[in-house]
Amino acid sequence: MDTPNLEWGKLPFGYIPTDYNTRCLYSNGAWGEVELSSSPFITLHIGATALHYGQGTFEGMKAFLGVDGKVRVFRWQDNWERICFSSEGVLMPAIPKDKFKKAVFETVKLNQRFIPPYGTGASLYIRPLIIGSGAKVGVSPADEYMLIVFVTPVGPYFPQGFKGVDIQLVRDVDRAAPLGTGRFKVGGNYAASLSSLVRAGKEGFKTVLYLDAKEKKYIDECGPANFFGIKNNTYITPDSTSILRSITNLSLCTLAEDMGMKVERRRVPVEELSEFEEAGACGTAAIITPIKSIQDRETGKVYTIGKGTDEPGPVCTKLYNRLQGIQYGTESDRFGWTEVVE
Ligand code: PLP
Ligand code: COI
């Protein structure tokens, strides 16, 4: 097994070709067998509902090569539950748990040589997706679907790593409506976010903070990550019908509680930004990205978080170390979040 010639410590969050992916097809009312492919391409009907009407969903999870040489997949069962939830949201059939697990674990195992070594800060990103592959021209769900699982080695989503970032609060773009598809991991939400994300990048910000679309009073989420703030020994994260329920955020809530903090999941008014001692964006890709400032694009108002320096605060640091400790196997997995790839 050749080791790929990659600079593991400098990997971007991007697509690097790997050896194999897996697929599983749904037709005549049933899912078939999980099959292996070495091609990064699929043949798709030009009328596929995924292409026209966005009938599709995806997931993001990671596998980590631990200090002990074991490969651990983080909370895959939660991603399976969420892909079923998203599938239901856009009228696709649920993928059975055993098929999802087989596709994920086989794909990781077959691409072992691409799992970044321990200590490089990188990991193997796992991207399952389910798409409507059957043809329809009227707006209706397809009769055929395809699960694909591919993997690619990645570094941190925000390339500066575990350092404070400046982000931009936007009011002229909504990522998702309160009763829309924001809570499902479907492509349309990301299409809706592209213009404001790219604009924020050009204006010097790492990502965007979206507000609730109805009242524009409360914090929703942070580009492709959830938002949290810390004050008075409390971990506070927005409750909203239009955000993705982040598995990383759920994990941080558990860890914060375990560290003796209070946890509040509730509406978070924009003005509260001025009260946070620390804040962060969290997600599989973002891990914990500490936020050092938030600028309101419309009013120009800047909310400085803590000291406003690159240096992450003590709570973010402790949460980050504990989360990564469990993922890389340096801390015991008390909550049963990881599964070793045998
Ligand atoms: N919010 C959005 C919009 C996302 O795309 C993601 C990434 O999956 C998250 C939050 C973080 O979720 P998780 O921690 O489950 O990766
Ligand atoms: C993830 O964190 O897994 C995501 O899906 C974010 C992404 C869209 C890059």
Side-chain angles (χ1 to χ4, degrees):
M1 197 169 76
D2 292 343
T3 306
N5 190 19
L6 294 169
E7 279 200 87
W8 298 111
K10 292 190 183 156
L11 286 181
F13 189 92
Y15 181 80
I16 291 171
T18 52
D19 292 333
Y20 299 101
N21 56 78
T22 48
R23 292 116 189 261
C24 181
L25 303 181
Y26 177 97
S27 63
N28 300 319
W31 287 97
E33 292 307 312
V34 173
E35 287 167 19
L36 197 63
S37 172
S38 56
S39 167
F41 297 102
I42 54 171
T43 300
L44 199 56
H45 194 287
I46 54 176
T49 57
L51 296 178
H52 301 255
Y53 304 127
Q55 198 194 17
T57 174
F58 68 99
E59 269 304 327
M61 48 213 273
K62 279 178 173 170
F64 302 84
L65 183 53
V67 67
D68 52 4
K70 291 183 179 162
V71 176
R72 292 174 174 79
V73 178
F74 189 68
R75 297 194 77 159
W76 69 269
Q77 306 201 40
D78 297 84
N79 292 87
W80 169 71
E81 279 176 16
R82 195 170 63 189
I83 207 169
C84 294
F85 177 67
S86 300
S87 295
E88 201 183 323
V90 291
L91 295 189
M92 305 198 299
I95 180 77
K97 192 173 183 177
D98 60 324
K99 293 198 193 284
F100 182 81
K101 182 178 184 187
K102 186 170 179 194
V104 167
F105 280 68
E106 289 281 294
T107 313
V108 171
K109 236 190 291 187
L110 289 162
N111 292 293
Q112 278 220 24
R113 70 193 188 102
F114 291 95
I115 307 181
Y118 176 74
T120 56
S123 55
L124 190 73
Y125 187 69
I126 307 168
R127 172 55 64 84
L129 60 150
I130 301 177
I131 56 170
S133 52
K136 292 277 173 180
V137 177
V139 180
S140 60
D143 299 321
E144 290 174 2
Y145 296 88
M146 188 186 289
L147 165 79
I148 302 166
V149 179
F150 72 80
V151 294
T152 193
V154 294
Y157 192 71
F158 297 109
Q160 80 293 333
F162 188 53
K163 291 219 177 89
V165 293
D166 300 308
I167 70 170
Q168 185 180 58
L169 184 157
V170 295
R171 294 172 184 277
D172 62 337
V173 178
D174 295 318
R175 175 190 162 273
L179 301 177
T181 57
R183 62 198 195 282
F184 308 124
K185 201 161 167 63
V186 299
N189 301 334
Y190 298 82
S193 72
L194 271 178
S195 61
S196 51
L197 280 177
V198 169
R199 184 182 67 185
K202 285 188 187 147
E203 294 177 358
F205 298 93
K206 280 287 185 287
T207 191
V208 160
L209 188 62
Y210 296 106
L211 300 184
D212 78 285
K214 188 173 175 189
E215 296 187 76
K216 301 279 185 187
K217 278 191 190 160
Y218 303 98
I219 295 168
D220 244 4
E221 62 182 327
C222 244
N226 274 184
F227 173 88
F228 68 87
I230 307 287
K231 69 173 187 190
N232 306 328
N233 199 36
T234 308
Y235 179 101
I236 299 158
T237 194
D239 192 17
S240 162
T241 53
S242 50
I243 66 176
L244 192 75
R245 205 166 166 81
S246 156
I247 294 159
T248 312
N249 197 4
L250 287 175
S251 312
L252 297 180
C253 290
T254 302
L255 291 173
E257 232 159 37
D258 194 58
M259 283 158 43
M261 298 178 69
K262 260 179 69 185
V263 172
E264 294 177 4
R265 190 182 284 274
R266 58 164 167 81
R267 294 175 106 186
V268 180
V270 176
E271 304 78 58
E272 200 171 347
L273 288 175
S274 57
E275 296 171 15
F276 290 128
E277 297 148 18
E278 297 181 42
C282 65
T284 300
I287 317 176
I288 292 179
T289 300
I291 296 169
K292 64 176 177 186
S293 84
I294 301 162
Q295 178 160 14
D296 187 323
R297 189 174 187 274
E298 201 170 282
T299 64
K301 184 174 168 65
V302 178
Y303 299 88
T304 302
I305 309 289
K307 295 195 189 96
T309 58
D310 284 359
E311 204 55 44
V315 177
C316 281
T317 306
K318 208 162 161 194
L319 286 170
Y320 182 90
N321 289 340
R322 286 203 63 190
L323 179 70
Q324 293 255 284
I326 293 171
Q327 293 173 329
Y328 285 104
T330 54
E331 171 162 346
S332 80
D333 180 15
R334 285 198 7 241
F335 307 103
W337 286 340
T338 62
E339 183 158 342
V340 170
V341 180
E342 304 289 356

